[in-house]
Amino acid sequence: MNDTPGWASPGSSSSDGDATGSTPQWSQNQPPAGQWQPPAAPAPGTPPQIPAAPQAGPGWGGPPPYGQWNVPQAAKPGVIALRPLTLGDILDGAVTTLRRYWRTVLTVSVAVAAIMQVAQILCQRYLIPDQQPLDPAASPAEALDQTLEAARTSAIGMAPASLIAAVATLLSAALLTVVISRAVLGKPIDLATAWREARPRLLPLLGLSLLVPLICAVVMFVGILPGLLLGSDGLTLLGMFVALGVVVWLWIRFALASPALMLERQGVIASMKRSAKLVQGAWWRVFGITVLINLLMALVAMILAIPFAALAMAFSVEGLADLANTGAFEKDWSFLILTGIGGVVTNALVYPIVSGVSVFLYIDQRIRREALDVELGRAAGLPGYGG
């Protein structure tokens, strides 16, 4: 037989072993068949005898006490641990980046928020005409026309501010992406270094920021076009809802394109394809985290803006007595300045969180799919991750 040394089947003859007797030899004086006796039962009242636990041999330790098993912890060179991230990890990483690199992060976000608010104040003060109160005697169709005209006029007046805000937001996203990529490795970075690394990617990022909204606008137009051509309000509404669903799907599908463009140095189309590949199979997860964080940041922004709005109305020249008039506070400098300060404070805190969530989602998907944690550990110089 070729049994493992030290083991043999009961009843094996001596011929099964070798000449040296390495296989255990069974005694010839075996009890007759059927005369095996079970061990005697203990006397009544005698406690059962529990055999002693075997002693641990050399080099072996006993099991640890209950609840004290050591679980290996993932390395954490920077603001996140190098493992697949949870929602709490993503949010904590964004907040930790803001707290640990506050000089660089707040310099970028405050500057961007201030530029946006100044542009918005100037446009609201000088470009948007005064809103005319609606005619109470107007018919429903005339009231709708007046409302649409007021909205069109406001949109035209705010177009320069919107353009400035888009450029400022683009610059903020580029710089904060670079800062967060260093924060993951636990490496310091200043504003000059962030600008030097982000500057070559600004034009491709601008192209990406224009292309994605353009695609969504085309999808919406195609969705409502059949209803407009046929003059059917129901078909137009149905097409609008279908197109809106496609826009949301595209929005999430390309949600990781900006970090891919900045951190992988890819082109516009390549970064969109890269985002689609990373999101594939995880669309609902990316959608849920993105929507939840945006709703949370909207709630935080509203809470931060309420005190400034209250102060703006309290210190307005017209006072609270004119609050019923829709144009009472629009041209008042005290109202515009105080609400502008509130906007700067709110956006300066919200921008880094939103940008951080996008970058950490990108990192999380790459860790889950491509073992990016190994590359990050190697880049951070951690032992055990290679040279």
Side-chain angles (χ1 to χ4, degrees):
M1 294 181 63
N2 294 324
D3 293 335
T4 304
W7 288 88
S9 302
S12 300
S13 65
S14 60
S15 62
D16 291 337
D18 55 18
T20 61
S22 60
T23 302
Q25 305 299 315
W26 295 90
S27 172
Q28 300 296 326
N29 298 322
Q30 298 293 326
Q35 296 185 16
W36 292 94
Q37 297 296 327
T46 303
Q49 300 297 321
I50 301 177
Q55 299 295 325
W60 293 86
Y66 177 77
Q68 297 185 12
W69 294 93
N70 292 325
V71 180
Q73 299 293 325
K76 189 177 181 181
V79 296
I80 59 171
L82 300 185
R83 55 173 171 76
L85 305 177
T86 64
L87 173 61
D89 295 330
I90 292 174
L91 187 58
D92 179 71
V95 175
T96 303
T97 302
L98 175 60
R99 186 178 67 250
R100 189 175 299 179
Y101 298 84
W102 63 271
R103 289 186 178 87
T104 304
V105 172
L106 289 184
T107 299
V108 174
S109 59
V110 169
V112 169
I115 292 173
M116 292 176 54
Q117 291 300 319
V118 169
Q120 184 175 354
I121 288 173
L122 294 178
C123 289
Q124 192 169 352
R125 184 68 174 82
Y126 294 109
L127 296 182
I128 299 179
D130 295 335
Q131 293 185 5
Q132 301 297 326
L134 298 177
D135 185 4
S139 63
E142 293 175 345
L144 180 60
D145 291 339
Q146 293 177 11
T147 303
L148 294 177
E149 179 63 23
R152 185 185 66 84
T153 303
S154 299
I156 294 175
M158 290 299 295
S162 301
L163 179 61
I164 295 174
V167 175
T169 304
L170 178 73
L171 181 62
S172 172
L175 293 174
L176 291 176
T177 299
V178 175
V179 173
I180 294 169
S181 67
R182 293 292 189 92
V184 171
L185 302 178
K187 297 182 177 180
I189 186 172
D190 54 17
L191 185 59
T193 304
W195 169 251
R196 185 167 60 251
E197 294 188 11
R199 183 175 57 187
R201 310 303 302 163
L202 290 180
L203 284 180
L205 188 60
L206 176 61
L208 177 66
S209 301
L210 295 176
L211 181 58
V212 174
L214 179 62
I215 293 175
C216 294
V218 171
V219 170
M220 288 296 299
F221 177 75
V222 172
I224 64 175
L225 182 60
L228 295 177
L229 293 178
L230 297 177
S232 172
D233 295 338
L235 185 58
T236 301
L237 187 62
L238 177 61
M240 182 181 66
F241 279 113
V242 173
L244 184 61
V246 176
V247 166
V248 173
W249 180 77
L250 290 174
W251 171 50
I252 298 300
R253 187 174 177 82
F254 299 139
L256 307 182
S258 177
L261 185 144
M262 291 295 302
L263 301 178
E264 298 184 22
R265 309 291 179 177
Q266 299 204 32
V268 175
I269 302 300
S271 63
M272 295 172 66
K273 293 180 179 179
R274 182 74 167 130
S275 175
K277 181 180 179 181
L278 291 174
V279 174
Q280 185 177 5
W283 190 94
W284 285 107
R285 181 174 185 273
V286 177
F287 172 78
I289 293 176
T290 302
V291 171
L292 183 60
I293 294 298
N294 279 275
L295 290 177
L296 180 61
M297 290 300 101
L299 179 61
V300 171
M302 182 180 66
I303 293 174
L304 293 176
I306 287 176
F308 293 95
L311 288 174
M313 290 188 292
F315 285 94
S316 176
V317 175
E318 278 76 10
L320 295 177
D322 296 332
L323 183 59
N325 188 350
T326 58
F329 299 118
E330 289 183 357
K331 302 295 184 179
D332 186 73
W333 277 112
S334 60
F335 179 82
L336 294 175
I337 292 175
L338 287 174
T339 54
I341 294 174
V344 170
V345 173
T346 300
N347 293 328
L349 296 177
V350 169
Y351 279 164
I353 304 298
V354 175
S355 298
V357 168
S358 176
V359 177
F360 288 132
L361 270 174
Y362 162 81
I363 294 174
D364 172 61
Q365 288 302 113
R366 288 201 59 188
I367 288 177
R368 294 173 183 270
R369 294 175 178 269
E370 304 170 358
L372 180 65
D373 52 328
V374 178
E375 297 183 19
L376 293 176
R378 186 182 299 117
L382 298 179
Y385 285 84

